[in-house]
């Protein structure tokens, strides 16, 4: 009897105490089974009262960037407590598959297509054994937010298509541009005016760190680090969200932005990005624009206070609009742990808008009441 009592007590305790009612940025975040959430570089999608958090499902140990099993999914109704829904896109054992075990899948994001009723997942794919050279955008689909997702294809966007408003005079190589020394001002100018767009014109533009964004009119866009991570590209998706319309633009040329995260408030688009220092944190940047196509105005580092120059030791991945709540946006970021990737933690912070700029302040612990204050 004593044993049964203590089992019941511990069950009750675990039920009561495993309930989260706040966000604790940077700390271990346990799912409803008591296991640290494994959904890195992720994004959140809202469907019928449920949030779905998709991310890179890493494995333990020093496997490097290839140490991943696929894309995980967690569900939640309150954003604090997440149930593991399993791996919804698995790396495959088939060596001829583009997502064979040993490939790199990063920053998966899922959007719902109202016309087709499908859930569409975009992610950054690097082919097995090729480091980060493939730089492909990849797409998978599912009928259900809980998966399984079916891998469709991977490729480089905008093959053979110039960006909007690209000056004719820059469509052919400039004399001597191949010989420019990296990081000189001449080289940066050459990048700005499109040297790498030209280089990749035939094979398609690179697509590494990425996010997707669905606008109020249901048009969707892939926002991806291209041109050796020096310039972000914004590429419009077709109506079924499975391909590109060939309408695309460059953003902050030669600005070296990664980790793009976007949101829209009162008709204005805001983007938060990171710099480019691998797994190490750096200073975030922010931008605003009245059109998705720009011009994007730089607004500086959105972080303030201690460790603002290191984005509070994290890197942006997504901005999550709290459903049904006007002007409630959560900044989602990763604290990478390359030595044991599953230990990577998550930094979620409320976005405050101050003088037309997104502002991020560190919080040891916070909840959604923050927005009601
Ligand atoms: C980061 C990037 C991550 C991952 C990493 C690999 O800069 O944001 O998504 O690609 O580099 O070193």
């Amino acid at each position: 009897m004593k044993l049964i009592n203590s089992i019941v007590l511990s069950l009750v305790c675990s039920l009561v105490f495993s309930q989260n009612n706040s966000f604790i940025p940077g700390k271990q975040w346990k799912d409803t089974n008591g296991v640290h959430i494994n959904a890195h570089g992720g994004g959140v999608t809202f469907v019928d009262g449920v949030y779905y958090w998709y991310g890179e499902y890493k494995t333990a140990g020093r496997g490097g960037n290839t140490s991943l099993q696929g894309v995980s999914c967690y569900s939640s109704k309150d954003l604090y407590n997440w149930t593991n829904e399993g791996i919804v896109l698995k790396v495959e054992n088939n060596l001829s598959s583009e997502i064979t075990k040993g490939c790199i899948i990063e920053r998966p994001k899922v959007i719902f297509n109202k016309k087709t009723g499908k859930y569409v997942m975009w992610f950054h794919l690097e082919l097995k054994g090729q480091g980060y050279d493939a730089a492909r955008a990849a797409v998978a689909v599912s009928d259900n937010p809980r998966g399984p997702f079916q891998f469709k294809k991977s490729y480089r966007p905008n093959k053979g298509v110039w960006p909007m408003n690209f000056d004719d005079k820059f469509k052919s190589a400039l004399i001597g541009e191949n010989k420019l020394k990296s990081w000189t001002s001449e080289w940066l100018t050459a990048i700005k005016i499109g040297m790498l767009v030209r280089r990749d014109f035939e094979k398609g533009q690179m697509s590494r760190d990425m996010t997707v964004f669905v606008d109020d009119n249901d048009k969707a866009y892939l926002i991806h680090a291209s041109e050796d991570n020096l310039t972000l590209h914004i590429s419009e998706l077709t109506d079924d969200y499975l391909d590109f319309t060939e309408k695309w633009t460059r953003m902050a040329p030669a600005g070296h932005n990664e980790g793009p995260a976007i949101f829209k408030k009162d008709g204005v688009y805001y983007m938060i990005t990171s710099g480019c220092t691998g797994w190490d944190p750096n200073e975030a940047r922010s931008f605003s624009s009245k059109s998705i196509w720009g011009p994007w105005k730089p607004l500086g580092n959105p972080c303030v206070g201690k460790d603002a120059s290191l984005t509070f030791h994290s890197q942006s991945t997504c901005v999550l609009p709290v459903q049904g709540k006007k002007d409630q946006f959560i900044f989602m970021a990763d604290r990478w742990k390359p030595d044991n990737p599953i230990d990577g933690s998550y930094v979620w912070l409320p976005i405050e808008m101050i003088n037309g700029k997104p502002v991020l302040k560190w919080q040891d612990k916070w909840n959604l009441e923050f927005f009601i204050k």
Side-chain angles (χ1 to χ4, degrees), residues 56 65 106-107 124 132 209 258-259 276-279 315 336:
E56 304 158 17
N65 306 355
E106 289 182 349
R107 299 184 176 269
H124 166 200
Y132 275 76
D209 276 14
E258 282 197 321
C276 195
T277 50
W279 301 119
Q315 185 186 25
W336 302 108

Side-chain angles (χ1 to χ4, degrees), residues 78-117:
D78 61 8
L79 292 172
Y80 308 122
N81 297 285
W82 293 89
T83 301
N84 188 349
E85 301 285 351
I87 302 180
V88 293
L89 178 75
K90 290 197 175 95
V91 293
E92 293 171 359
N93 282 320
N94 172 3
L95 271 175
S96 63
S97 160
E98 289 173 2
I99 57 165
T100 191
K101 199 162 185 280
C103 71
I104 299 172
I105 290 179
E106 289 182 349
R107 299 184 176 269
K109 307 284 178 306
V110 172
I111 50 181
F112 177 64
N113 188 294
K114 286 186 197 155
K115 278 194 189 142
T116 61

Side-chain angles (χ1 to χ4, degrees), residues 297-340:
K297 181 168 125 201
L299 302 174
N301 182 1
C303 302
V304 294
K306 188 170 175 280
D307 296 330
S309 62
L310 290 176
T311 318
F312 314 113
H313 303 275
S314 69
Q315 185 186 25
S316 44
T317 181
C318 193
V319 170
L320 149 62
V322 180
Q323 287 306 310
K325 307 283 180 201
K326 195 170 181 293
D327 299 344
Q328 298 193 5
F329 297 97
I330 299 177
F331 171 75
M332 294 170 56
D334 292 276
R335 259 188 201 172
W336 302 108
K337 287 277 166 11
D339 285 346
N340 193 27

Side-chain angles (χ1 to χ4, degrees), residues 344-365:
S345 59
Y346 313 98
V347 170
W348 286 25
L349 292 170
I351 299 182
E352 291 176 80
M353 294 303 295
I354 302 179
N355 300 327
K357 296 182 182 187
V359 173
L360 298 167
K361 293 178 192 151
W362 179 255
Q363 315 284 331
D364 287 330
K365 188 173 180 174

Side-chain angles (χ1 to χ4, degrees), residues 158-177:
N158 302 316
K159 190 172 164 184
V161 189
W162 296 109
M164 294 159 65
N165 307 321
F166 195 75
D167 203 318
D168 275 349
K169 69 174 178 282
F170 297 133
K171 289 184 178 164
S172 37
L174 306 179
I175 296 162
E177 69 176 12

